[in-house]
């Protein structure tokens, strides 16, 4: 039996209800589970909660489809849509764990999101970014640095997306390629 792919959704911990970022994250969470993948987040509010809420709205949702890697020690801190709350006690250091998913999709974000994107880039993960605001908008369609991360992917970059459907299509196309882990030069 093949392992289920895990897609991390990262971004702002506070978003305005009904905002473009919230709608994108919710639609993205739904499409991730629609494709049979799991949603991983930092487990808190904002983009993380919207993605988990969307995942729960999928007709293919099953218990365990949403995972929250919490920065603190209390599983009760997880948003109500997290199926599996993992309290790490690591604070911001848990961002490295979130970035270890098979793919990472950034939605807006400030400094914490930037660190997760940097970790995902350094670890050779498939990295997508919503072309909206925050760090995702700044880094969409760019290379974070000049390291040769994936010699098997000539167009390797932070893949910019505008819609959840576009993100799902890129995930479907590239997850099998990026699932093959490679050693990335850390210099």
């Amino acid at each position: 039996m093949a392992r289920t792919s895990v897609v991390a959704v990262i971004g702002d911990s506070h978003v305005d209800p009904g905002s473009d970022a919230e709608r994108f994250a919710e639609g993205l969470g739904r499409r991730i589970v629609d494709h049979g993948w799991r949603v991983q987040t930092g487990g808190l509010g904002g983009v993380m909660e919207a993605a988990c809420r969307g995942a729960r709205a999928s007709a293919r949702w099953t218990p365990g489809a949403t995972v929250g890697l919490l920065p603190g020690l209390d599983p009760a801190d997880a948003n109500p849509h997290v199926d599996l709350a993992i309290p790490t006690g690591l604070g911001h250091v848990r961002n490295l764990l979130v970035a270890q998913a098979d793919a990472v999709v950034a939605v807006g974000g400030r400094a914490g999101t930037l660190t997760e994107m940097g970790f995902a880039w350094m670890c050779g993960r498939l990295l997508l970014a919503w072309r909206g605001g925050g760090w995702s908008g700044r880094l969409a369609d760019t290379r974070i640095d000049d390291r040769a991360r994936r010699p098997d992917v000539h167009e390797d970059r932070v893949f910019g997306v505008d819609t959840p459907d576009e993100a799902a299509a890129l995930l479907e196309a590239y997850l099998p390629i990026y699932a093959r882990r490679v050693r990335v030069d850390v210099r």
Side-chain angles (χ1 to χ4, degrees), residues 3-7 27-39 54-55 58-61 65 163-176:
R3 184 180 65 80
T4 302
S5 292
V6 177
V7 179
L28 176 65
R30 181 178 296 113
R31 280 157 188 83
I32 289 169
V33 174
D34 286 347
H35 279 81
W37 307 316
R38 301 288 180 244
V39 171
S58 170
R60 293 192 65 192
W61 173 83
T163 67
D165 288 333
E166 187 180 0
L170 284 169
L171 288 165
E172 191 166 25
Y174 284 104
L175 264 172

Side-chain angles (χ1 to χ4, degrees), residues 16-150:
D16 291 331
S19 67
D20 290 342
E22 182 186 55
R23 284 193 304 273
F24 179 88
E26 189 168 341
L28 176 65
R30 181 178 296 113
R31 280 157 188 83
I32 289 169
V33 174
D34 286 347
H35 279 81
W37 307 316
R38 301 288 180 244
V39 171
Q40 176 175 286
T41 70
L44 301 176
V47 164
M48 298 170 277
E49 183 170 358
C52 292
R53 183 174 54 247
R56 283 267 184 107
S58 170
R60 293 192 65 192
W61 173 83
T62 58
T66 62
V67 178
L69 298 176
L70 301 164
L73 294 171
D74 189 351
D77 291 340
N79 73 64
H81 309 286
V82 168
D83 296 322
L84 179 59
I86 302 172
T88 67
L90 295 172
H92 292 297
V93 175
R94 74 86 156 79
N95 291 357
L96 176 59
L97 299 177
V98 173
Q100 294 309 302
D102 298 303
V104 176
V105 184
V107 183
R110 298 184 307 246
T113 303
L114 177 60
T115 65
E116 289 166 321
M117 291 178 79
F119 284 135
W121 182 263
M122 290 187 304
C123 294
R125 300 300 185 263
L126 174 57
L127 183 55
L128 282 63
W130 175 59
R131 292 187 183 107
W135 280 107
S136 71
R138 289 181 183 181
L139 294 176
D141 302 306
T142 69
R143 293 178 54 81
I144 292 179
D145 62 28
D146 62 353
R147 74 185 71 215
R149 294 180 346 123
R150 300 297 307 214

